[in-house]
Amino acid sequence: MGGLRAGAIVLALVLAMSMLVERVAAEAPALDAYGAAPAVDHVELSPSGDLIARVMVVGEKRALAVSRLSTGESVFAASIGEAKVRDLRWIGEERILIITSQTHSLPLLGVPRSELFFGMMLELKAKDIVQVLRATPDVLAALYGGAAVRRTSQGDAVFARGVNVLTGQIDLHKINLSSGHGRSVSSMDRDTEDYVLNAEGEVIAESRYVERQGRWSLHLREGWRLRQAWAVDAALDTPNLVGMGRSANTVVVSARRPDLSDTAESETGHVLFEVDVASGDWGRLPFERHPTRLIHHPRTGLLIGGSYQDEDGVGYEFLDAAAGRRWQAIARAFPGKAPQLMSWTDALNQVVVFIDTGESGVYQLVDFDAGEANIVAEAYPTILAEQVGAVRPISYTAADGMEIPGYLTLPPGVDTPANLPLIVLAHGGPAARDVAGFDYWAQALASRGYAVLQPNFRGSSGYGRAFMEAGYGEWGRKMQTDLSDGVRWLAAEGVIDPARVCIVGGSYGGYAAMAGLTIDKEPYRCAVSVNGVSDLRRMVNRVANRQERNSHAVRYWNRFMGAEKLNDRALDALSPAMLADQVEGPLLLIHGKQDTVVNIEQSRVMADAMRRAGKRVELVELESEDHWLSRPETRQRMLRETVRFLTAHNPVD
């Protein structure tokens, strides 16, 4: 790419974005307000805190805006088009790394349609953008596993892995910040799963996973080479190399080591260990709770803390005392709001936090030196706090006695719910979870008058190993009845009208919606499946055909589905497409044509089966849309189609 133009089109776009931050009249938002992309995608402070960068969104268009905090003056503003922005990071004070993704296939390299990631580097003074790995001989200008930024003694540096189309090597390259050209600094291949760089950008550890053997190994730096320090057979629940430890010569590994610790901290039985690169010694990190994300110092890259998902939002635990004191002060400043850490300066004296408890999402800049906090951006500026439905943590007992946690979202203004129509909104994964805070899908449905139940059924993440393992083999079985048990509990409490219940979901939740009309259909009068799985055996076989037959992904799906082997016909009894003749209520299928996770054939197969059985079905195919509904236009259409269908088959009045 060459220089960026900042002409009339760009200025008009930025002006339109600035107008979005003005509050609107407190009337019910249009449905499209929920389906729109957040008005601000990313907010990042520069290392000194002098500058702040935002990715701003209007419709399908995005723009990068950089301003000076001390004066408010605009330093840079330009359109970056319709690219899906996945990350934003500063490279020192003068450059910004923008990570985007697009759906592509590379047939000449045997790469099926996949989500490919790309890096762009913006130089602020020259107002020029270059692509990471551009013009690197024989190397695709696509990122393999992301990019790393380091501020070394020799200056700022960016590192990224790239695929050599001739040799198949996937070397680590140091990127020329001016040209984007990559220079190989470490030889790697497809078995190289991950790596850790020290502050100088040197590889001090690598992890390798040999798929055909199911063997994971850790390699640590010794002089100018890497030596294997530990290995384990792990067909599933493989260890992970997470990043730098608390000192410059340690790395963090998440692994099962019963020889070192007999207490499993995570759903996979893993414990977080700090490994000394020189000696190879392992020590358990002193977290009181197992974090789901580690936090590293913005300047040194050293481990300083971690975060975990709690019932009321994201919680934090810091191993670094200074960082811990800063965060305690922030938590006290926003009581009951569960602030989330987004970005902070090298000195930790300025912090951007995100808050979406009881509102649609605001970014606040906390300035410790000035002793103040100010809103710098709003995620959904047209949805006011009073228009956000209350989100209540709940818990109920499943038929077999297991406690199922979840959330109930009420229509805005409803404090004492009674006899409400209900939508069961099942999350994807299934090894994922719903969280507290603003959920655009749940809030959109609540704004139309529905109560929305989001159960974290067994097999969901965030509740410990026993809860996760309780979901193994329960796809379409107890994971499904956990949903309907929640309906029965709400009915017994008088909260909902049991005659007005439908089920909606995406991905695994889309499967659960279809299973709600075929396998466990008593509570539901209709269903909406978005990017859902209808034929389990067909899906697993497709995954196997895209990868090795004994791939980790196939083993993962078989674990949850309860299959004994590849192409296990026992899965047909759990496949809605095979049970279409049992359907009684109407079904709406919505699917993105560029879905690389669950192919659109899954919805087409279900629609065909329903039509053959003479059942009521609609199929809406979303053009140019992926599995995650990344495009606002199609996300808005999904909501409109869903609400239209629910209004017809499960009316509020």
Side-chain angles (χ1 to χ4, degrees), residues 315-363:
Y316 293 86
E317 181 181 349
F318 285 92
L319 304 179
D320 177 85
R325 287 192 295 271
R326 287 284 159 102
W327 191 256
Q328 288 172 6
I330 290 172
R332 288 194 298 269
F334 300 101
K337 289 293 187 178
Q340 301 173 46
L341 172 63
M342 295 288 107
S343 173
W344 51 12
T345 59
D346 283 359
L348 310 186
N349 62 331
Q350 292 170 287
V351 186
V352 173
V353 298
F354 180 73
I355 296 171
D356 67 347
T357 299
E359 51 193 310
S360 59
V362 296
Y363 293 88

Side-chain angles (χ1 to χ4, degrees), residues 245-293:
R246 292 172 292 176
S247 67
N249 199 46
T250 60
V251 296
V252 178
V253 177
S254 175
R256 286 185 182 181
R257 289 294 305 265
D259 54 322
L260 300 178
S261 175
D262 58 2
T263 302
E265 294 181 337
S266 70
E267 289 90 352
T268 58
H270 285 186
V271 173
L272 283 175
F273 294 97
E274 190 172 33
V275 182
D276 188 284
V277 173
S279 67
D281 292 337
W282 292 54
R284 183 172 177 169
L285 281 166
F287 284 108
E288 292 184 8
R289 292 189 57 173
H290 184 82
T292 54
R293 183 175 71 91

Side-chain angles (χ1 to χ4, degrees), residues 315-488:
Y316 293 86
E317 181 181 349
F318 285 92
L319 304 179
D320 177 85
R325 287 192 295 271
R326 287 284 159 102
W327 191 256
Q328 288 172 6
I330 290 172
R332 288 194 298 269
F334 300 101
K337 289 293 187 178
Q340 301 173 46
L341 172 63
M342 295 288 107
S343 173
W344 51 12
T345 59
D346 283 359
L348 310 186
N349 62 331
Q350 292 170 287
V351 186
V352 173
V353 298
F354 180 73
I355 296 171
D356 67 347
T357 299
E359 51 193 310
S360 59
V362 296
Y363 293 88
Q364 296 245 23
L365 173 63
V366 179
D367 189 322
F368 281 93
D369 296 335
E372 60 183 20
N374 294 293
I375 294 176
V376 293
E378 298 176 89
Y380 293 92
T382 61
I383 303 175
L384 308 184
E386 56 266 31
Q387 297 167 333
V388 175
V391 181
R392 297 181 177 178
I394 60 166
S395 179
Y396 57 89
T397 304
D400 66 351
M402 176 165 280
E403 286 300 306
I404 306 299
Y407 297 93
L408 179 67
T409 301
L410 299 176
V414 173
D415 296 320
T416 307
N419 207 41
L420 292 172
L422 177 70
I423 304 300
V424 176
L425 183 58
H427 69 67
R433 61 164 291 170
D434 283 310
V435 299
F438 185 87
D439 181 314
Y440 83 89
W441 203 346
Q443 289 290 339
L445 296 175
S447 75
R448 306 304 111 168
Y450 296 102
V452 181
L453 172 65
Q454 294 175 278
N456 284 321
F457 45 82
R458 70 191 70 201
S460 299
S461 60
Y463 296 97
R465 185 178 180 184
F467 194 82
M468 172 69 74
E469 291 182 347
Y472 294 170
E474 297 298 338
W475 186 300
R477 299 180 178 96
K478 289 182 180 180
M479 289 201 303
Q480 190 69 30
T481 56
D482 286 347
L483 306 177
S484 53
D485 286 339
V487 175
R488 285 180 276 272

Side-chain angles (χ1 to χ4, degrees), residues 470-542:
Y472 294 170
E474 297 298 338
W475 186 300
R477 299 180 178 96
K478 289 182 180 180
M479 289 201 303
Q480 190 69 30
T481 56
D482 286 347
L483 306 177
S484 53
D485 286 339
V487 175
R488 285 180 276 272
W489 174 73
L490 287 173
E493 294 289 312
V495 172
I496 62 104
D497 177 359
R500 292 187 293 163
V501 181
C502 286
I503 181 169
V504 177
S507 193
Y508 171 81
Y511 164 82
M514 289 183 277
L517 293 184
T518 54
I519 296 174
D520 185 29
K521 58 187 181 179
E522 180 266 329
Y524 310 112
R525 58 190 295 173
C526 67
V528 180
S529 167
V530 180
N531 297 342
V533 180
S534 69
D535 185 332
L536 275 59
R537 188 158 54 93
R538 180 188 293 259
M539 179 187 166
V540 177
N541 286 348
R542 184 180 180 88

Side-chain angles (χ1 to χ4, degrees), residues 49-52 67-73 75 350 365 367:
D50 185 42
L51 302 173
I52 187 168
S67 57
R68 197 173 303 280
L69 281 172
S70 57
T71 64
E73 67 176 303
V75 174
Q350 292 170 287
L365 173 63
D367 189 322

